[in-house]
Amino acid sequence: MKELLNSPLVHVSLTLAVYIFSKKMQLRYKSPLLNPILLTIAVVIAFLLFTEVDYQDYERNTQVISFWLAPSVIALGYALYSYLEEIKADFKKIIASMLAGSLTGIVSVCMMAYFLGASKATLISLAPKSVTTPIAIEVSKQMGGIPSLTVAFVIAVGIFGAIFGQMYLKLLGVKDPKSVGLSLGATAHALGTASISEQGPDFSAFGGLGMALNGVLTAILAPWAIKLLLLVLY
Amino acid sequence: MILIKQIAIFLGLWLLGELISYYGHLPLSGSIIGMLLLVIGMELKLIKTEDIKVVANFLLNNMAMFFIPAGVGIMCHYQILKQEWLSISGAIVISALLVLTVVGLIMKKRIR
């Protein structure tokens, strides 16, 4: 029994079953707080604690799920391609907003963490929080952060963006697919993009674009920005 | 066979992306390069929509789920999260709202 509880079969089935169930719940009750990712993560953690299985075992057992993360990022290229003409027409504007967004993301999270008393390692691990996991891990490793902690922050931002992002943008009067997609993609990467993808292919295309551009810009800018911030703050 | 062929295209793009990232010493992940390669390949008509459509839609529709195993890893950082939860969540929430504001307002202004 102990072996079965720590097998790919049980871990993958549990993850899929809880995810499908939470997705159904969200559709029925229409509450953004019933976020399927958040619910599934909570249930799986509870299960692992209860059965006394290490995270490392669960991670290895569910590689068949996480393997598809990279291909799903590549698939955003398909969504992007359909809107290439619109992107070309607005190229300068899009780049300007992404440059501002990327810098705002890095600098503001470090400043806030510093003034709220976070440790230096936490601060560095937070810096690349708005980009997709593989890039965030690279930046964190390179600058002396804790990569697995960065992954946790990336997911946390993603969930926050997925739950509150569109609500907040509505308050600002930002409603068109282009702006909503770019904002959520740049703030909350694939999870933000996934949260609006059901509203239409244009939402996911611009979400993918925001995520890609912010990823590229952050990969280039973050190391310099972090170096400068550490020099000023410490 | 259709599925296998389409999956093979995605894995090929991923592999190519990883190779370019490694040998080009680029700060970009293989998946982001793969995504750009897909756009270029489609623009050059090397890859047609029907070559990837089924798998692409499957991947796009289930993207959020592929994050779950990484998300569960949050349980390994219980100690740090317990000690610094206020500064971490404060920084994340405020920074996320600022990015949404900056990008959203610049785009909104420019679109009109």
Side-chain angles (χ1 to χ4, degrees), chain A residues 25-36:
Chain A
M25 293 284 282
Q26 192 191 32
L27 283 175
R28 177 173 295 176
Y29 296 104
K30 302 260 180 248
S31 164
L33 283 172
L34 282 172
N35 181 281

Side-chain angles (χ1 to χ4, degrees), chain A residues 37 55 108 122 129 148 168 176 212, chain B residues 35 64 69 77 84 95 101 111:
Chain A
I37 306 291
Y55 170 67
S108 67
T122 305
K129 62 153 194 3
S148 62
Y168 176 72
D176 65 290
Chain B
M35 166 180 155
H77 299 288
E84 301 188 35
S95 175
T101 312
I111 260 173

